[in-house]
Amino acid sequence: MSAQRLAAQQDVFLREVDDALRHDQVEGFFKRFGLPLLAVVLLGLAAFGGFLFWKHRQEETRAANSEAFTQAIDALKAQNFDSAKDKLKPLADSGSDGSATSAKLLLAGIALQQNKTADALKLYDAVANDAKAPQPMRDLAVIRSVAANFDAMKPEDVVSRLKPYAAPGNPWFGAAGELVGMAYIKMNKGDQAGPLFAAIAKDETIEDGLRSRARQLAAVLGVDAVDDVVDERGEPLGKANGAAPVAAAAAPAGE
């Protein structure tokens, strides 16, 4: 029995030593790493709190922007351009996000309504050249800028700037293609304008008014607006499609 008692006492002693050792290790860990660990926890809580505050401010900003846009649109419907500009200018100056870019495009449209073409072009070009702005809005700004300044531009410059958009399948094919086609007519290139207008007339994704104009122009230029006349890059498939001679085609178009 004495041997069993001795073994039990040794077991209790070892457990006490082990517990004391664990306590010392834990106490040593907190003495050594307690403050850095506490700092990390506090920083994490501060970061999380900052994120919640930022998210709340973002939601407030979006709500305020939405309200400002609604008021601006209402002012535009009432032809109250000055009031609309007052609502849009703070948004336009707020950065390069979707709200700011949309505000700049609307301000450019107002400038055109007020015959301030130079101001409109400045806004359109600012959006088009803003690498942080949403790409669809940058593309729209390019199209609108050329449309607003078409009469003052060299036709070669119109083609150069819009040719990437003036191809079947491009979201801006209709609007860009019409401008490129008119530039071709100015350049006495009816053999390129006709097939392009015919392709626009055939594209069912383009709005009906533009397709109707394109169909009439294609017919004037002697091109069938039903058969395939351009490839996927917007290039004419060939004169066999019935394109009229350049000089003859340009005359009926008023050039």
PDB file of all heavy atoms in Angstrom, residues 168 173 194-208 210-216 218 223-231 237 241:
ATOM      1  N   PRO A 168     -20.256  46.176 -87.149  1.00  0.00           N
ATOM      2  CA  PRO A 168     -21.365  45.357 -86.662  1.00  0.00           C
ATOM      3  C   PRO A 168     -20.975  44.595 -85.397  1.00  0.00           C
ATOM      4  O   PRO A 168     -19.889  44.049 -85.292  1.00  0.00           O
ATOM      5  CB  PRO A 168     -21.625  44.395 -87.829  1.00  0.00           C
ATOM      6  CG  PRO A 168     -21.161  45.154 -89.036  1.00  0.00           C
ATOM      7  CD  PRO A 168     -19.959  45.925 -88.576  1.00  0.00           C
ATOM      8  N   PHE A 173     -22.494  50.730 -82.758  1.00  0.00           N
ATOM      9  CA  PHE A 173     -22.416  50.620 -84.219  1.00  0.00           C
ATOM     10  C   PHE A 173     -23.361  51.580 -84.925  1.00  0.00           C
ATOM     11  O   PHE A 173     -22.980  52.249 -85.884  1.00  0.00           O
ATOM     12  CB  PHE A 173     -22.710  49.180 -84.638  1.00  0.00           C
ATOM     13  CG  PHE A 173     -22.826  48.986 -86.122  1.00  0.00           C
ATOM     14  CD1 PHE A 173     -21.857  49.489 -86.983  1.00  0.00           C
ATOM     15  CD2 PHE A 173     -23.898  48.297 -86.668  1.00  0.00           C
ATOM     16  CE1 PHE A 173     -21.956  49.304 -88.362  1.00  0.00           C
ATOM     17  CE2 PHE A 173     -24.004  48.109 -88.034  1.00  0.00           C
ATOM     18  CZ  PHE A 173     -23.029  48.624 -88.883  1.00  0.00           C
ATOM     19  N   GLY A 194     -22.201  53.578 -98.599  1.00  0.00           N
ATOM     20  CA  GLY A 194     -23.390  52.795 -98.919  1.00  0.00           C
ATOM     21  C   GLY A 194     -23.463  51.472 -98.183  1.00  0.00           C
ATOM     22  O   GLY A 194     -24.467  51.171 -97.526  1.00  0.00           O
ATOM     23  N   PRO A 195     -22.434  50.628 -98.258  1.00  0.00           N
ATOM     24  CA  PRO A 195     -22.473  49.356 -97.521  1.00  0.00           C
ATOM     25  C   PRO A 195     -22.612  49.545 -96.017  1.00  0.00           C
ATOM     26  O   PRO A 195     -23.250  48.736 -95.337  1.00  0.00           O
ATOM     27  CB  PRO A 195     -21.132  48.704 -97.875  1.00  0.00           C
ATOM     28  CG  PRO A 195     -20.764  49.300 -99.191  1.00  0.00           C
ATOM     29  CD  PRO A 195     -21.250  50.713 -99.135  1.00  0.00           C
ATOM     30  N   LEU A 196     -22.008  50.599 -95.487  1.00  0.00           N
ATOM     31  CA  LEU A 196     -22.103  50.839 -94.043  1.00  0.00           C
ATOM     32  C   LEU A 196     -23.537  51.183 -93.647  1.00  0.00           C
ATOM     33  O   LEU A 196     -24.065  50.657 -92.663  1.00  0.00           O
ATOM     34  CB  LEU A 196     -21.149  51.964 -93.652  1.00  0.00           C
ATOM     35  CG  LEU A 196     -21.005  52.273 -92.159  1.00  0.00           C
ATOM     36  CD1 LEU A 196     -20.644  51.023 -91.371  1.00  0.00           C
ATOM     37  CD2 LEU A 196     -19.973  53.362 -91.936  1.00  0.00           C
ATOM     38  N   PHE A 197     -24.186  52.056 -94.424  1.00  0.00           N
ATOM     39  CA  PHE A 197     -25.580  52.388 -94.133  1.00  0.00           C
ATOM     40  C   PHE A 197     -26.474  51.157 -94.283  1.00  0.00           C
ATOM     41  O   PHE A 197     -27.411  50.962 -93.501  1.00  0.00           O
ATOM     42  CB  PHE A 197     -26.065  53.501 -95.059  1.00  0.00           C
ATOM     43  CG  PHE A 197     -25.526  54.864 -94.706  1.00  0.00           C
ATOM     44  CD1 PHE A 197     -24.915  55.660 -95.662  1.00  0.00           C
ATOM     45  CD2 PHE A 197     -25.644  55.357 -93.414  1.00  0.00           C
ATOM     46  CE1 PHE A 197     -24.424  56.914 -95.339  1.00  0.00           C
ATOM     47  CE2 PHE A 197     -25.160  56.611 -93.084  1.00  0.00           C
ATOM     48  CZ  PHE A 197     -24.538  57.392 -94.047  1.00  0.00           C
ATOM     49  N   ALA A 198     -26.185  50.330 -95.262  1.00  0.00           N
ATOM     50  CA  ALA A 198     -26.989  49.123 -95.459  1.00  0.00           C
ATOM     51  C   ALA A 198     -26.867  48.176 -94.271  1.00  0.00           C
ATOM     52  O   ALA A 198     -27.847  47.559 -93.838  1.00  0.00           O
ATOM     53  CB  ALA A 198     -26.555  48.413 -96.745  1.00  0.00           C
ATOM     54  N   ALA A 199     -25.655  48.063 -93.726  1.00  0.00           N
ATOM     55  CA  ALA A 199     -25.449  47.195 -92.567  1.00  0.00           C
ATOM     56  C   ALA A 199     -26.192  47.726 -91.353  1.00  0.00           C
ATOM     57  O   ALA A 199     -26.758  46.958 -90.565  1.00  0.00           O
ATOM     58  CB  ALA A 199     -23.951  47.085 -92.268  1.00  0.00           C
ATOM     59  N   ILE A 200     -26.216  49.038 -91.190  1.00  0.00           N
ATOM     60  CA  ILE A 200     -26.964  49.634 -90.081  1.00  0.00           C
ATOM     61  C   ILE A 200     -28.456  49.352 -90.251  1.00  0.00           C
ATOM     62  O   ILE A 200     -29.157  48.996 -89.296  1.00  0.00           O
ATOM     63  CB  ILE A 200     -26.714  51.154 -90.018  1.00  0.00           C
ATOM     64  CG1 ILE A 200     -25.247  51.437 -89.657  1.00  0.00           C
ATOM     65  CG2 ILE A 200     -27.645  51.822 -89.010  1.00  0.00           C
ATOM     66  CD1 ILE A 200     -24.857  52.902 -89.779  1.00  0.00           C
ATOM     67  N   ALA A 201     -28.947  49.486 -91.486  1.00  0.00           N
ATOM     68  CA  ALA A 201     -30.370  49.254 -91.754  1.00  0.00           C
ATOM     69  C   ALA A 201     -30.778  47.821 -91.441  1.00  0.00           C
ATOM     70  O   ALA A 201     -31.919  47.566 -91.040  1.00  0.00           O
ATOM     71  CB  ALA A 201     -30.677  49.575 -93.216  1.00  0.00           C
ATOM     72  N   LYS A 202     -29.863  46.879 -91.570  1.00  0.00           N
ATOM     73  CA  LYS A 202     -30.179  45.466 -91.342  1.00  0.00           C
ATOM     74  C   LYS A 202     -30.102  45.066 -89.881  1.00  0.00           C
ATOM     75  O   LYS A 202     -30.633  44.032 -89.497  1.00  0.00           O
ATOM     76  CB  LYS A 202     -29.191  44.584 -92.116  1.00  0.00           C
ATOM     77  CG  LYS A 202     -29.370  44.597 -93.613  1.00  0.00           C
ATOM     78  CD  LYS A 202     -28.306  43.717 -94.258  1.00  0.00           C
ATOM     79  CE  LYS A 202     -28.290  42.350 -93.621  1.00  0.00           C
ATOM     80  NZ  LYS A 202     -27.225  41.491 -94.147  1.00  0.00           N
ATOM     81  N   ASP A 203     -29.430  45.859 -89.068  1.00  0.00           N
ATOM     82  CA  ASP A 203     -29.166  45.484 -87.678  1.00  0.00           C
ATOM     83  C   ASP A 203     -30.413  45.715 -86.825  1.00  0.00           C
ATOM     84  O   ASP A 203     -30.781  46.853 -86.529  1.00  0.00           O
ATOM     85  CB  ASP A 203     -27.989  46.298 -87.142  1.00  0.00           C
ATOM     86  CG  ASP A 203     -27.457  45.752 -85.839  1.00  0.00           C
ATOM     87  OD1 ASP A 203     -28.239  45.154 -85.074  1.00  0.00           O
ATOM     88  OD2 ASP A 203     -26.242  45.919 -85.578  1.00  0.00           O
ATOM     89  N   GLU A 204     -31.055  44.653 -86.392  1.00  0.00           N
ATOM     90  CA  GLU A 204     -32.301  44.761 -85.649  1.00  0.00           C
ATOM     91  C   GLU A 204     -32.102  45.234 -84.213  1.00  0.00           C
ATOM     92  O   GLU A 204     -33.082  45.511 -83.511  1.00  0.00           O
ATOM     93  CB  GLU A 204     -33.033  43.421 -85.657  1.00  0.00           C
ATOM     94  CG  GLU A 204     -33.472  42.985 -87.055  1.00  0.00           C
ATOM     95  CD  GLU A 204     -34.233  41.672 -87.041  1.00  0.00           C
ATOM     96  OE1 GLU A 204     -34.340  41.071 -85.939  1.00  0.00           O
ATOM     97  OE2 GLU A 204     -34.717  41.254 -88.106  1.00  0.00           O
ATOM     98  N   THR A 205     -30.853  45.320 -83.756  1.00  0.00           N
ATOM     99  CA  THR A 205     -30.600  45.824 -82.402  1.00  0.00           C
ATOM    100  C   THR A 205     -30.577  47.349 -82.364  1.00  0.00           C
ATOM    101  O   THR A 205     -30.574  47.947 -81.285  1.00  0.00           O
ATOM    102  CB  THR A 205     -29.253  45.305 -81.873  1.00  0.00           C
ATOM    103  OG1 THR A 205     -28.174  45.833 -82.654  1.00  0.00           O
ATOM    104  CG2 THR A 205     -29.215  43.791 -81.911  1.00  0.00           C
ATOM    105  N   ILE A 206     -30.565  47.977 -83.530  1.00  0.00           N
ATOM    106  CA  ILE A 206     -30.513  49.438 -83.620  1.00  0.00           C
ATOM    107  C   ILE A 206     -31.933  49.984 -83.682  1.00  0.00           C
ATOM    108  O   ILE A 206     -32.829  49.370 -84.273  1.00  0.00           O
ATOM    109  CB  ILE A 206     -29.701  49.868 -84.862  1.00  0.00           C
ATOM    110  CG1 ILE A 206     -28.252  49.391 -84.716  1.00  0.00           C
ATOM    111  CG2 ILE A 206     -29.735  51.368 -85.063  1.00  0.00           C
ATOM    112  CD1 ILE A 206     -27.411  49.602 -85.956  1.00  0.00           C
ATOM    113  N   GLU A 207     -32.124  51.150 -83.079  1.00  0.00           N
ATOM    114  CA  GLU A 207     -33.486  51.712 -83.027  1.00  0.00           C
ATOM    115  C   GLU A 207     -34.007  52.021 -84.429  1.00  0.00           C
ATOM    116  O   GLU A 207     -33.256  52.322 -85.350  1.00  0.00           O
ATOM    117  CB  GLU A 207     -33.514  52.957 -82.133  1.00  0.00           C
ATOM    118  CG  GLU A 207     -32.613  54.100 -82.557  1.00  0.00           C
ATOM    119  CD  GLU A 207     -33.375  55.124 -83.366  1.00  0.00           C
ATOM    120  OE1 GLU A 207     -34.604  54.994 -83.449  1.00  0.00           O
ATOM    121  OE2 GLU A 207     -32.740  56.021 -83.930  1.00  0.00           O
ATOM    122  N   ASP A 208     -35.332  51.946 -84.580  1.00  0.00           N
ATOM    123  CA  ASP A 208     -35.976  51.982 -85.889  1.00  0.00           C
ATOM    124  C   ASP A 208     -35.728  53.280 -86.658  1.00  0.00           C
ATOM    125  O   ASP A 208     -35.569  53.255 -87.884  1.00  0.00           O
ATOM    126  CB  ASP A 208     -37.486  51.764 -85.733  1.00  0.00           C
ATOM    127  CG  ASP A 208     -37.819  50.349 -85.291  1.00  0.00           C
ATOM    128  OD1 ASP A 208     -36.955  49.469 -85.470  1.00  0.00           O
ATOM    129  OD2 ASP A 208     -38.923  50.133 -84.757  1.00  0.00           O
ATOM    130  N   LEU A 210     -33.135  55.303 -86.681  1.00  0.00           N
ATOM    131  CA  LEU A 210     -31.809  55.312 -87.284  1.00  0.00           C
ATOM    132  C   LEU A 210     -31.730  54.312 -88.438  1.00  0.00           C
ATOM    133  O   LEU A 210     -31.144  54.595 -89.494  1.00  0.00           O
ATOM    134  CB  LEU A 210     -30.757  54.982 -86.219  1.00  0.00           C
ATOM    135  CG  LEU A 210     -29.305  55.385 -86.488  1.00  0.00           C
ATOM    136  CD1 LEU A 210     -28.518  55.405 -85.186  1.00  0.00           C
ATOM    137  CD2 LEU A 210     -28.633  54.464 -87.486  1.00  0.00           C
ATOM    138  N   ARG A 211     -32.335  53.136 -88.263  1.00  0.00           N
ATOM    139  CA  ARG A 211     -32.332  52.132 -89.332  1.00  0.00           C
ATOM    140  C   ARG A 211     -33.051  52.659 -90.571  1.00  0.00           C
ATOM    141  O   ARG A 211     -32.621  52.415 -91.704  1.00  0.00           O
ATOM    142  CB  ARG A 211     -32.991  50.846 -88.843  1.00  0.00           C
ATOM    143  CG  ARG A 211     -32.213  50.105 -87.773  1.00  0.00           C
ATOM    144  CD  ARG A 211     -32.961  48.876 -87.325  1.00  0.00           C
ATOM    145  NE  ARG A 211     -33.072  47.904 -88.406  1.00  0.00           N
ATOM    146  CZ  ARG A 211     -33.928  46.877 -88.398  1.00  0.00           C
ATOM    147  NH1 ARG A 211     -34.776  46.722 -87.405  1.00  0.00           N
ATOM    148  NH2 ARG A 211     -33.952  46.043 -89.411  1.00  0.00           N
ATOM    149  N   SER A 212     -34.136  53.387 -90.349  1.00  0.00           N
ATOM    150  CA  SER A 212     -34.888  53.927 -91.482  1.00  0.00           C
ATOM    151  C   SER A 212     -34.045  54.940 -92.259  1.00  0.00           C
ATOM    152  O   SER A 212     -34.018  54.922 -93.500  1.00  0.00           O
ATOM    153  CB  SER A 212     -36.183  54.572 -90.974  1.00  0.00           C
ATOM    154  OG  SER A 212     -36.906  55.145 -92.045  1.00  0.00           O
ATOM    155  N   ARG A 213     -33.369  55.828 -91.531  1.00  0.00           N
ATOM    156  CA  ARG A 213     -32.500  56.797 -92.211  1.00  0.00           C
ATOM    157  C   ARG A 213     -31.391  56.093 -92.980  1.00  0.00           C
ATOM    158  O   ARG A 213     -31.085  56.448 -94.123  1.00  0.00           O
ATOM    159  CB  ARG A 213     -31.878  57.758 -91.187  1.00  0.00           C
ATOM    160  CG  ARG A 213     -32.839  58.716 -90.538  1.00  0.00           C
ATOM    161  CD  ARG A 213     -32.103  59.868 -89.864  1.00  0.00           C
ATOM    162  NE  ARG A 213     -31.118  59.433 -88.896  1.00  0.00           N
ATOM    163  CZ  ARG A 213     -31.395  59.187 -87.611  1.00  0.00           C
ATOM    164  NH1 ARG A 213     -32.639  59.309 -87.165  1.00  0.00           N
ATOM    165  NH2 ARG A 213     -30.437  58.817 -86.777  1.00  0.00           N
ATOM    166  N   ALA A 214     -30.811  55.084 -92.350  1.00  0.00           N
ATOM    167  CA  ALA A 214     -29.714  54.359 -92.989  1.00  0.00           C
ATOM    168  C   ALA A 214     -30.193  53.634 -94.244  1.00  0.00           C
ATOM    169  O   ALA A 214     -29.490  53.594 -95.263  1.00  0.00           O
ATOM    170  CB  ALA A 214     -29.102  53.363 -92.000  1.00  0.00           C
ATOM    171  N   ARG A 215     -31.399  53.075 -94.189  1.00  0.00           N
ATOM    172  CA  ARG A 215     -31.953  52.366 -95.347  1.00  0.00           C
ATOM    173  C   ARG A 215     -32.147  53.333 -96.521  1.00  0.00           C
ATOM    174  O   ARG A 215     -31.828  53.010 -97.672  1.00  0.00           O
ATOM    175  CB  ARG A 215     -33.275  51.707 -94.968  1.00  0.00           C
ATOM    176  CG  ARG A 215     -33.854  50.800 -96.050  1.00  0.00           C
ATOM    177  CD  ARG A 215     -35.125  50.117 -95.587  1.00  0.00           C
ATOM    178  NE  ARG A 215     -34.870  49.255 -94.428  1.00  0.00           N
ATOM    179  CZ  ARG A 215     -35.268  49.518 -93.188  1.00  0.00           C
ATOM    180  NH1 ARG A 215     -35.947  50.629 -92.931  1.00  0.00           N
ATOM    181  NH2 ARG A 215     -35.004  48.677 -92.227  1.00  0.00           N
ATOM    182  N   GLN A 216     -32.639  54.519 -96.240  1.00  0.00           N
ATOM    183  CA  GLN A 216     -32.840  55.507 -97.301  1.00  0.00           C
ATOM    184  C   GLN A 216     -31.508  55.963 -97.900  1.00  0.00           C
ATOM    185  O   GLN A 216     -31.384  56.093 -99.122  1.00  0.00           O
ATOM    186  CB  GLN A 216     -33.602  56.708 -96.733  1.00  0.00           C
ATOM    187  CG  GLN A 216     -35.031  56.393 -96.311  1.00  0.00           C
ATOM    188  CD  GLN A 216     -35.705  57.553 -95.607  1.00  0.00           C
ATOM    189  OE1 GLN A 216     -35.186  58.659 -95.587  1.00  0.00           O
ATOM    190  NE2 GLN A 216     -36.871  57.303 -95.019  1.00  0.00           N
ATOM    191  N   ALA A 218     -28.691  54.288 -97.901  1.00  0.00           N
ATOM    192  CA  ALA A 218     -28.109  53.173 -98.659  1.00  0.00           C
ATOM    193  C   ALA A 218     -28.739  53.085-100.043  1.00  0.00           C
ATOM    194  O   ALA A 218     -28.044  52.869-101.051  1.00  0.00           O
ATOM    195  CB  ALA A 218     -28.300  51.864 -97.900  1.00  0.00           C
ATOM    196  N   VAL A 223     -27.091  50.881-102.879  1.00  0.00           N
ATOM    197  CA  VAL A 223     -26.723  49.634-102.200  1.00  0.00           C
ATOM    198  C   VAL A 223     -27.976  48.974-101.638  1.00  0.00           C
ATOM    199  O   VAL A 223     -28.816  49.627-101.017  1.00  0.00           O
ATOM    200  CB  VAL A 223     -25.713  49.900-101.067  1.00  0.00           C
ATOM    201  CG1 VAL A 223     -25.385  48.608-100.335  1.00  0.00           C
ATOM    202  CG2 VAL A 223     -24.441  50.521-101.625  1.00  0.00           C
ATOM    203  N   ASP A 224     -28.096  47.671-101.874  1.00  0.00           N
ATOM    204  CA  ASP A 224     -29.214  46.900-101.345  1.00  0.00           C
ATOM    205  C   ASP A 224     -29.071  46.823 -99.829  1.00  0.00           C
ATOM    206  O   ASP A 224     -28.042  46.373 -99.316  1.00  0.00           O
ATOM    207  CB  ASP A 224     -29.193  45.496-101.958  1.00  0.00           C
ATOM    208  CG  ASP A 224     -30.429  44.696-101.596  1.00  0.00           C
ATOM    209  OD1 ASP A 224     -31.182  45.128-100.706  1.00  0.00           O
ATOM    210  OD2 ASP A 224     -30.631  43.626-102.194  1.00  0.00           O
ATOM    211  N   ALA A 225     -30.085  47.228 -99.096  1.00  0.00           N
ATOM    212  CA  ALA A 225     -30.023  47.228 -97.638  1.00  0.00           C
ATOM    213  C   ALA A 225     -30.501  45.919 -97.037  1.00  0.00           C
ATOM    214  O   ALA A 225     -30.779  45.853 -95.844  1.00  0.00           O
ATOM    215  CB  ALA A 225     -30.846  48.379 -97.077  1.00  0.00           C
ATOM    216  N   VAL A 226     -30.578  44.858 -97.852  1.00  0.00           N
ATOM    217  CA  VAL A 226     -31.030  43.559 -97.356  1.00  0.00           C
ATOM    218  C   VAL A 226     -29.882  42.561 -97.304  1.00  0.00           C
ATOM    219  O   VAL A 226     -29.665  41.892 -96.305  1.00  0.00           O
ATOM    220  CB  VAL A 226     -32.177  43.003 -98.223  1.00  0.00           C
ATOM    221  CG1 VAL A 226     -32.584  41.628 -97.721  1.00  0.00           C
ATOM    222  CG2 VAL A 226     -33.350  43.963 -98.200  1.00  0.00           C
ATOM    223  N   ASP A 227     -29.119  42.445 -98.391  1.00  0.00           N
ATOM    224  CA  ASP A 227     -28.022  41.475 -98.436  1.00  0.00           C
ATOM    225  C   ASP A 227     -26.842  41.950 -97.596  1.00  0.00           C
ATOM    226  O   ASP A 227     -26.691  43.134 -97.302  1.00  0.00           O
ATOM    227  CB  ASP A 227     -27.551  41.265 -99.881  1.00  0.00           C
ATOM    228  CG  ASP A 227     -28.650  40.654-100.736  1.00  0.00           C
ATOM    229  OD1 ASP A 227     -29.481  39.910-100.175  1.00  0.00           O
ATOM    230  OD2 ASP A 227     -28.667  40.936-101.946  1.00  0.00           O
ATOM    231  N   ASP A 228     -25.979  40.995 -97.210  1.00  0.00           N
ATOM    232  CA  ASP A 228     -24.764  41.328 -96.478  1.00  0.00           C
ATOM    233  C   ASP A 228     -23.858  42.194 -97.347  1.00  0.00           C
ATOM    234  O   ASP A 228     -23.560  41.845 -98.485  1.00  0.00           O
ATOM    235  CB  ASP A 228     -23.995  40.058 -96.075  1.00  0.00           C
ATOM    236  CG  ASP A 228     -24.740  39.275 -95.002  1.00  0.00           C
ATOM    237  OD1 ASP A 228     -25.480  39.907 -94.231  1.00  0.00           O
ATOM    238  OD2 ASP A 228     -24.583  38.047 -94.946  1.00  0.00           O
ATOM    239  N   VAL A 229     -23.410  43.318 -96.777  1.00  0.00           N
ATOM    240  CA  VAL A 229     -22.581  44.233 -97.554  1.00  0.00           C
ATOM    241  C   VAL A 229     -21.290  44.622 -96.838  1.00  0.00           C
ATOM    242  O   VAL A 229     -20.414  45.228 -97.433  1.00  0.00           O
ATOM    243  CB  VAL A 229     -23.368  45.513 -97.899  1.00  0.00           C
ATOM    244  CG1 VAL A 229     -24.445  45.216 -98.921  1.00  0.00           C
ATOM    245  CG2 VAL A 229     -23.972  46.134 -96.644  1.00  0.00           C
ATOM    246  N   VAL A 230     -21.168  44.303 -95.544  1.00  0.00           N
ATOM    247  CA  VAL A 230     -19.926  44.599 -94.823  1.00  0.00           C
ATOM    248  C   VAL A 230     -19.529  43.385 -93.998  1.00  0.00           C
ATOM    249  O   VAL A 230     -20.361  42.547 -93.644  1.00  0.00           O
ATOM    250  CB  VAL A 230     -20.075  45.824 -93.892  1.00  0.00           C
ATOM    251  CG1 VAL A 230     -20.316  47.089 -94.684  1.00  0.00           C
ATOM    252  CG2 VAL A 230     -21.184  45.606 -92.882  1.00  0.00           C
ATOM    253  N   ASP A 231     -18.235  43.297 -93.715  1.00  0.00           N
ATOM    254  CA  ASP A 231     -17.755  42.211 -92.863  1.00  0.00           C
ATOM    255  C   ASP A 231     -17.854  42.619 -91.402  1.00  0.00           C
ATOM    256  O   ASP A 231     -18.407  43.669 -91.065  1.00  0.00           O
ATOM    257  CB  ASP A 231     -16.317  41.826 -93.242  1.00  0.00           C
ATOM    258  CG  ASP A 231     -15.338  42.985 -93.061  1.00  0.00           C
ATOM    259  OD1 ASP A 231     -15.662  43.934 -92.313  1.00  0.00           O
ATOM    260  OD2 ASP A 231     -14.255  42.929 -93.674  1.00  0.00           O
ATOM    261  N   LEU A 237     -17.731  44.498 -98.450  1.00  0.00           N
ATOM    262  CA  LEU A 237     -17.342  43.198 -98.984  1.00  0.00           C
ATOM    263  C   LEU A 237     -16.876  43.304-100.430  1.00  0.00           C
ATOM    264  O   LEU A 237     -16.236  42.405-100.948  1.00  0.00           O
ATOM    265  CB  LEU A 237     -18.528  42.225 -98.901  1.00  0.00           C
ATOM    266  CG  LEU A 237     -18.916  41.794 -97.481  1.00  0.00           C
ATOM    267  CD1 LEU A 237     -20.147  40.912 -97.528  1.00  0.00           C
ATOM    268  CD2 LEU A 237     -17.770  41.063 -96.806  1.00  0.00           C
ATOM    269  N   ASN A 241     -21.578  44.405-104.565  1.00  0.00           N
ATOM    270  CA  ASN A 241     -22.826  44.584-103.843  1.00  0.00           C
ATOM    271  C   ASN A 241     -23.711  45.658-104.468  1.00  0.00           C
ATOM    272  O   ASN A 241     -24.815  45.895-104.011  1.00  0.00           O
ATOM    273  CB  ASN A 241     -22.536  44.969-102.390  1.00  0.00           C
ATOM    274  CG  ASN A 241     -21.942  43.809-101.622  1.00  0.00           C
ATOM    275  OD1 ASN A 241     -22.574  42.772-101.483  1.00  0.00           O
ATOM    276  ND2 ASN A 241     -20.724  43.981-101.154  1.00  0.00           N
TER     277      ASN A 241
END
